[in-house]
Amino acid sequence: MTKILLLGCGNMGGALLKAWAEKSDHDLTVADPAELVLPDGVRQIRSVDELDQALFDTLIVALKPQMIDAVLPAYIARLDPVGTISSIAAGYSSARLAAHAPGRSVIRIMPNLPAVIGKGMSGLYAHGTVPAAASQEIEFLAACSGATIWVESEDMLDRLTAVAGSGPGYIFEMLRAYSEAAKALGFSDADAQKLVLGTVQGALELAQQSDQSLEQLRNSVTSKGGTTAAGLRALNGSEQFSQLIGETLQSAYQRAVELR
């Protein structure tokens, strides 16, 4: 049975842990000093002193980046010499992880918030030479909470962070603005949110099921001289919306680079 140690158990770590407990038969241990409500069968320890001499196959870091250097070294000795260290911490490079764990496989995971409902989109990056078995194991764990995509460099993981890791924040802000605009047209708070979320959900599911491109789908609902055409001219008639989205992703990417 694969033995996994999760170091830290905040919102994202807890969401991933819940998925692992439901979808795997791994031996799961959490190291966190807080009072936690954990899935059945998951062991909690509050300090490394509570661990016995057993070694873990995988150590997954779910700490705030600024805490890693202070906390991680005490637990490295409990990772099997051929084990894997992984991290979900944004802004903490794989090179820094590898420096803590010489000789171990190092894989970063960049999940996003919808992982809490099993609809996450996670990026994976393997640092250096990583055995196929280690990659497969981390991919399995990430896939327990949604879809996955591998990238070939840490720079691409930073770019993925800008698109998917931070992406739910952009979507929620667009939904908020969309709902406010609906309210300005006279709808109640509840009706505006119902209209907006229902419209977005339907459009998303249609896009996922269709073999048409996003541009073709847009055109299919846009009659010349009609209401959709008028709205689209206001939204992106001079490519201002496209430019804003590009600037949004570029700003998030640059910040990810700064945090390395």
Side-chain angles (χ1 to χ4, degrees), residues 110-123:
M110 176 48 59
N112 66 3
L113 185 60
V116 303
I117 59 167
K119 297 290 185 179
M121 181 70 250
S122 295

Side-chain angles (χ1 to χ4, degrees), residues 1-9 13-32 36 38-45 51 55-60 137-138 140-142 144:
M1 182 180 293
T2 301
K3 295 173 66 68
I4 294 177
L5 175 62
L6 177 66
L7 188 54
C9 193
L16 298 176
L17 178 67
K18 181 175 182 290
W20 302 338
E22 291 175 350
K23 298 181 180 180
S24 80
D25 59 358
H26 294 345
D27 182 323
L28 301 168
T29 300
V30 174
D32 196 304
L36 302 174
L38 298 174
D40 291 343
V42 177
R43 175 191 181 195
Q44 180 180 1
I45 56 103
L51 287 174
L55 297 178
F56 291 89
D57 302 296
T58 303
L59 191 162
I60 298 180
E137 175 62 23
I138 296 300
F140 166 76
L141 292 172
C144 286

Side-chain angles (χ1 to χ4, degrees), residues 46-257:
R46 290 171 172 77
S47 77
V48 70
D49 297 332
E50 297 178 42
L51 287 174
D52 55 28
Q53 296 305 308
L55 297 178
F56 291 89
D57 302 296
T58 303
L59 191 162
I60 298 180
V61 180
L63 299 166
K64 295 184 186 307
Q66 62 269 25
M67 296 174 60
I68 296 176
D69 287 338
V71 177
L72 180 57
Y75 289 89
I76 288 296
R78 304 307 177 98
L79 178 62
D80 191 284
V82 294
T84 301
I85 183 168
S86 187
S87 170
I88 67 169
Y92 196 93
S93 72
S94 57
R96 294 172 70 186
L97 281 175
H100 283 293
R104 273 80 162 194
S105 297
V106 176
I107 300 175
R108 282 187 61 196
I109 308 171
M110 176 48 59
N112 66 3
L113 185 60
V116 303
I117 59 167
K119 297 290 185 179
M121 181 70 250
S122 295
L124 303 172
Y125 168 66
H127 176 74
T129 301
V130 175
S135 297
Q136 291 164 4
E137 175 62 23
I138 296 300
E139 182 174 4
F140 166 76
L141 292 172
C144 286
S145 57
T148 64
I149 182 172
W150 284 94
V151 295
E152 295 183 356
S153 70
E154 197 146 39
D155 183 66
M156 284 305 299
L157 193 67
D158 288 339
R159 293 169 189 267
L160 185 145
T161 299
V163 176
S166 300
Y170 318 147
I171 300 300
F172 293 142
E173 174 59 12
M174 285 187 275
L175 292 174
R176 183 203 62 77
Y178 195 177
S179 295
E180 289 298 317
K183 286 159 58 177
L185 286 178
F187 293 99
S188 67
D189 289 3
D191 283 348
Q193 183 162 315
K194 183 177 181 179
L195 282 167
V196 167
L197 295 184
T199 299
V200 170
Q201 182 177 15
L204 175 60
E205 292 185 8
L206 178 59
Q208 290 174 327
Q209 295 175 24
S210 176
D211 58 2
Q212 292 184 300
S213 69
L214 296 176
E215 183 178 5
Q216 289 172 324
L217 287 168
R218 181 204 62 194
N219 292 342
S220 71
V221 75
T222 308
S223 300
K224 186 176 181 180
T227 59
T228 306
L232 286 171
R233 279 196 301 275
L235 178 67
N236 204 28
S238 300
E239 297 293 317
Q240 65 267 35
F241 185 67
S242 295
Q243 181 177 347
L244 180 59
I245 292 296
E247 292 172 356
T248 298
L249 299 189
Q250 189 65 31
S251 293
Y253 164 61
Q254 290 298 332
R255 183 55 180 158
V257 171

